[in-house]
């Protein structure tokens, strides 16, 4: 599909299908949305598209959904069934394998009969319960891509087949002087333990993506769509951009959109970790997944489904897995050559035991080779990074911190300098009336009434702040006449048939109006970083209104915390030095670390300069205006948002505007990386120690008459059953270690 | 050394060599087919498409595509083992969930020739995309 005419053709084809009320096709996303008047099968729709000469597929669900839960349940049920049945069958096999040598047992059941019974019991364990390994091994061989199933499959099949041959033709072994001892118990116990390990691992792994699921669960299932006939309940998937939706108290906002009518407060804590509810009214943006608390309101849907902020967050958490950490790359390289190397070691240990081992050399060689294959399973190595990453990024999402992936973690760990953009990052990004100074004999209310009445006609951003403030003070506004705006300087109007002049002091002076006693106050207000608007009525100055972009509450505490954690904190802004220093003072940033008057295009260069001086810089900005500076910084932290651009260009996105999250993000990154390193360390230790021990290295030292001799009777060999226990424990312990991140508190 | 030991040693060496030769010999990549877009002129033309079965690994696991043309990999997962529930192409930042018994399209346009890996979430199941 390439052009708008294709869109039209597909839309027509779909609309022509009986039962279709409306069809719309998006060229960019190649998605068709169809509204149905009556049920129509997806196949018929697809056929219609194909008949028009295009391809159609059901849209993939953008993220994990209910299907995932169902899959998990299927997998768990399958594993549980295999494990329980195999375990039940394995009990008599193990009993016979260990007690069968006792003379009393042998009298009742000769060895031959024992072997046959074990063969009967062990066969379903090997070929039914263990079938996933055997099948996986076969696929691996056929495709020349060796994986862990190959190791387990080879290991258990070796023990099983050897035992089966011993059972079927014991005479051949006896003739060669080898006792016809079967190892069915070994094969059976390995299968049972590895199934148990997978069962535990699958359960724990489901918990690692728990945070993501919780985010998914924030979506309500239905929305109330306002139609001409009244409201109707529709499934969330059927909500389209442009729909008018009703949100009642206590319900979750279904999709992203804008309030059309009504007021309420929203609890955004599930999405952002921010605990204070936000007031919303007509024209305010609302985010799907937040909880409507007090009032009902109507909203216009804007972004739905995969485009919604909630889904973008979920998707981002999911995609964090795609970015590998440097520490994990080593594990990947090892994994690529691991299996063939382990098979080689297993063959070598069999040969060495056979050639140099004490009798029974064949059996000992077989057991050593099986142990090597089983203990070497690189499960723990494979789980080390993804489980920690998933848990850490999931926990971050709960705290309103979105980490892009492992590369973000590594960048965050090295940071020693944090540079904040001023406007919208350190400050609210929206000017507010900071101070109102009325001249002698004039009330503040009168001053605000005059100022706001005139300013309500102005489109200047400062004007909006003044009008807002006047409304908040409950001041009555009048309509001005003869309104004239002089851009960048001020406004002249007539109010109650008296001339009003407001603007800069210079503008008033041009009109022949002196500030007089107010002049000194004006200087002080400007030193505090405010923009001062002087107001005159009837040729007399009646007061000053100072407007400034205020520092976010909590900014000073957040910056102090960063400084305590050893970070150098800087501020960068295009604003003039006086305003910049005033903000810096309030936020607690030292004056020498303020970069003021920096043109937008120069921000990148200033960040680069800091980096050239050896600083590892994290840039905190709003993600859109600061894109080049963010891209230059070692770590890009975008404030607020959920906008695509911010998420794409930044390593870290802070969902709420709270600056404290910067410290949380850096700490979470360090902690997650720490857990990944610990996981990898133990997984490597486990494998590098486990393989030589399984091969029989310790036997060389601990054998009777060896350089050390047996310790507590142990001669240094590792039975395959113990190897399988170690293998199961190593995977479970790695996942458990990762789950510690769920308790991270920042 | 007894004849049996000699025989076992030789067999072991041969087997080990065979295993390593077998697994380390480069696999032949499966070339992506151009997807027929149907009647519309130019529609979907140039999209290189490969169907990949996901069960105990990726089949095929080595894929050859041309640089500069869009690629569509159609993964069909035929197992419930959660190992394979996500496919990653780290170089391109792709992480796609693969629902069971369903075809999931992963689309991208490779610009630079080279070899790119794709793998499951644990990097246990691996494949390769060779961009020419």
């Amino acid at each position: 599909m390439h052009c708008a005419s294709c869109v039209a053709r597909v839309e027509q084809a779909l609309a022509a299908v009986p039962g279709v009320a409306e069809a719309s096709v998006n060229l960019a996303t190649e998605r068709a949305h169809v509204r149905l008047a009556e049920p129509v099968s997806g196949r018929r729709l697809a056929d219609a598209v194909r008949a028009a000469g295009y391809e159609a597929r059901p849209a993939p669900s953008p993220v994990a959904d209910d299907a995932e839960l169902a899959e998990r349940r299927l997998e768990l049920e399958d594993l549980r069934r295999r494990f329980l049945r195999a375990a039940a069958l394995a009990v008599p096999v193990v009993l016979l394998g260990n007690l069968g040598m006792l003379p009393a047992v042998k009298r009742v059941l000769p060895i031959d009969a024992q072997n046959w019974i074990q063969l009967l019991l062990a066969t379903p364990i090997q070929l039914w319960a263990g079938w996933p390994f055997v099948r996986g091994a076969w696929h691996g061989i056929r495709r020349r891509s060796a994986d862990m199933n190959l190791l387990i499959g080879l290991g258990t099949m070796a023990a099983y087949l050897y035992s089966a041959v011993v059972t079927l033709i014991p005479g051949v072994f006896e003739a060669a002087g080898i006792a016809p001892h079967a190892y069915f118990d070994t094969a059976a116990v390995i299968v049972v333990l590895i199934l148990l390990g997978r069962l535990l691992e699958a359960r724990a792994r489901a918990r690692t993506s728990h945070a993501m699921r919780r985010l998914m669960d924030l979506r309500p299932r239905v929305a109330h769509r306002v139609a001409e006939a009244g409201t109707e309940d529709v499934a969330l998937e059927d909500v389209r951009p442009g729909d008018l939706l009703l949100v009642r108290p206590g319900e979750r906002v279904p999709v992203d959109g804008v309030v059309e009518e009504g007021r309420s407060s929203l609890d955004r804590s599930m999405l952002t970790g921010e605990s204070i509810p936000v007031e919303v009214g007509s024209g305010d943006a609302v985010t799907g997944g937040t909880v409507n608390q007090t009032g009902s309101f109507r909203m216009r849907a804007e972004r739905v489904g995969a485009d919604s902020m909630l889904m973008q967050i979920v998707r981002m958490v999911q995609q964090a897995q795609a970015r590998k950490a440097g520490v994990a790359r080593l594990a990947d390289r090892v994994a690529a050559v691991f299996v063939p190397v382990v098979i080689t070691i297993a063959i070598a240990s069999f040969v060495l035991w056979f050639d140099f081992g004490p009798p029974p050399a064949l059996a000992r060689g077989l057991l050593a080779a099986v142990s090597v294959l089983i203990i070497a399973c690189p499960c723990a190595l494979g789980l080390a990074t993804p489980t920690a990453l998933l848990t850490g990024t999931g926990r971050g999402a709960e705290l309103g911190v979105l980490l892009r992936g492992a590369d973000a973690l590594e960048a965050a760990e090295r940071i020693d300098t944090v540079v904040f953009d001023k406007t919208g990052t350190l400050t609210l990004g929206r000017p507010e009336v900071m101070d109102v100074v009325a001249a002698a004999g004039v009330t503040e209310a009168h001053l605000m009434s005059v100022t706001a009445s005139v300013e309500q006609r102005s489109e200047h951003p400062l004007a909006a702040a003044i009008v807002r403030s006047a409304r908040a003070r409950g001041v009555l506004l009048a309509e001005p006449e003869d309104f004239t705006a002089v851009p960048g300087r001020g406004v002249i109007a007539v109010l109650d048939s008296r001339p009003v002049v407001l603007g800069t002091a210079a503008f008033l002076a041009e009109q022949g109006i002196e500030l007089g006693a107010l002049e000194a106050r004006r200087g002080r207000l400007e030193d505090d970083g405010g923009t001062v608007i002087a107001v005159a009525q009837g040729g007399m100055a009646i007061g000053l209104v100072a407007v400034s972009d205020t520092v976010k509450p909590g900014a000073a505490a957040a910056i102090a915390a960063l400084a305590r954690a050893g970070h150098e904190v800087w501020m960068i802004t295009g604003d003039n030095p006086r305003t910049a220093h005033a903000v810096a003072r309030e936020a607690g940033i030292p004056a020498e670390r303020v970069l003021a008057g920096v043109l937008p295009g120069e921000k990148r260069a200033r960040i680069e300069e800091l980096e050239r001086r050896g600083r590892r810089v994290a840039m905190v900005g709003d993600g859109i205006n600061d894109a080049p500076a963010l891209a230059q910084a070692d770590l890009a932290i975008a404030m607020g948002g959920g906008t695509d651009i911010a998420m794409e260009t930044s390593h870290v996105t802070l969902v709420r505007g709270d600056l404290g999250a910067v410290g949380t993000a850096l700490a979470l990154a360090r902690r997650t990386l720490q857990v990944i390193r610990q996981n990898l360390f133990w997984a490597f230790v486990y494998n590098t120690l486990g393989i030589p021990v399984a091969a029989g290295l310790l036997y060389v030292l601990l054998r009777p008459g060896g350089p050390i001799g047996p310790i507590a009777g142990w001669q240094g060999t590792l039975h395959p059953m113990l190897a399988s226990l170690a293998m199961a424990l190593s995977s479970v312990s790695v996942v458990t270690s990762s789950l510690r991140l769920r308790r991270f508190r920042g | 050394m007894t004849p049996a030991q000699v025989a076992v040693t030789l067999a072991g060496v041969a087997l080990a060599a065979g295993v390593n030769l077998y697994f380390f010999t480069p696999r032949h990549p499966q070339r992506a087919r151009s997807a027929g877009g149907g009647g519309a002129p130019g529609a979907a033309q140039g999209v290189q498409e490969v169907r990949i079965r996901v069960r105990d690994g990726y089949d095929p696991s080595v894929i050859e595509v041309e640089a500069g043309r869009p690629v569509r990999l159609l993964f069909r997962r035929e197992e419930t083992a959660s190992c394979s529930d996500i496919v990653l192409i780290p170089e391109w930042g792709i992480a796609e969930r693969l629902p069971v018994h369903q075809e999931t399209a992963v689309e991208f346009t490779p610009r630079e020739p080279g070899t790119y890996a794709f793998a499951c979430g644990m990097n246990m199941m691996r494949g390769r995309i060779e961009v020419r």
Side-chain angles (χ1 to χ4, degrees), chain A residues 95-111:
Chain A
L95 284 178
L96 279 179
N98 289 289
L99 305 177
M101 292 310 196
L102 297 178
V105 180
K106 264 201 279 196
R107 260 199 306 280
V108 184
L109 268 180
I111 291 288

Side-chain angles (χ1 to χ4, degrees), chain A residues 645-675:
Chain A
I645 310 168
M647 287 195 176
E648 302 262 307
T649 56
S650 60
H651 295 102
V652 179
T653 306
L654 307 178
V655 178
R656 56 183 155 154
D658 175 14
L659 293 175
V662 175
T664 308
L666 295 179
L668 177 63
R670 261 198 307 277
R671 180 83 186 107
T672 307
L673 215 48
Q674 193 188 355
V675 170

Side-chain angles (χ1 to χ4, degrees), chain A residues 53 71 135 141 332 344 355, chain B residues 9 20 22 37 55-56 100 123:
Chain A
E71 278 169 26
R135 190 192 62 203
I141 292 171
D332 289 359
T344 308
D355 289 354
Chain B
T9 308
N20 283 285
Y22 184 73
R55 179 168 190 161
D56 301 318
V100 173
N123 200 33

Side-chain angles (χ1 to χ4, degrees), chain A residues 93 115-116 118-120 122-127 131 134 137-138 141 150-170 172-173 179-188 190-191 350 362-363 366-367 370 373:
Chain A
V93 175
N115 283 355
W116 275 100
Q118 291 194 63
L119 174 64
L120 281 179
T123 302
I125 299 178
Q126 181 68 32
L127 296 182
W131 181 244
V134 177
W138 170 242
I141 292 171
L150 185 55
L151 297 180
I152 300 171
L154 278 181
T156 54
M157 277 312 256
Y160 172 81
L161 287 177
Y162 173 84
S163 308
V165 172
V166 164
T167 306
L168 295 171
I169 42 168
V172 174
F173 288 81
H181 186 78
Y183 294 96
F184 287 118
D185 54 341
T186 303
I190 293 171
V191 169
F350 177 81
L362 177 65
L366 179 76
L367 290 182
V370 172
L373 291 173

Side-chain angles (χ1 to χ4, degrees), chain B residues 66-129:
Chain B
E66 266 177 55
R69 284 172 58 200
V71 174
R72 183 183 298 140
L73 303 180
L74 296 167
F75 287 92
R76 188 175 180 85
R77 178 165 158 234
E78 292 176 355
E79 63 183 359
T80 50
S82 62
C83 275
S84 56
D85 69 356
I86 190 162
V87 63
L88 308 176
I89 312 182
E91 264 102 345
W92 294 317
I94 291 174
E96 200 69 42
R97 235 186 69 74
L98 307 178
V100 173
H101 304 309
Q102 202 173 306
E103 209 160 57
T104 307
V106 172
E107 297 181 12
F108 54 89
T109 305
R111 305 263 168 232
E112 297 287 314
T115 299
Y116 303 90
F118 63 96
C120 69
M122 284 166 59
N123 200 33
M124 287 291 119
M125 295 162 45
R126 285 180 304 272
R128 226 168 48 227
I129 301 165

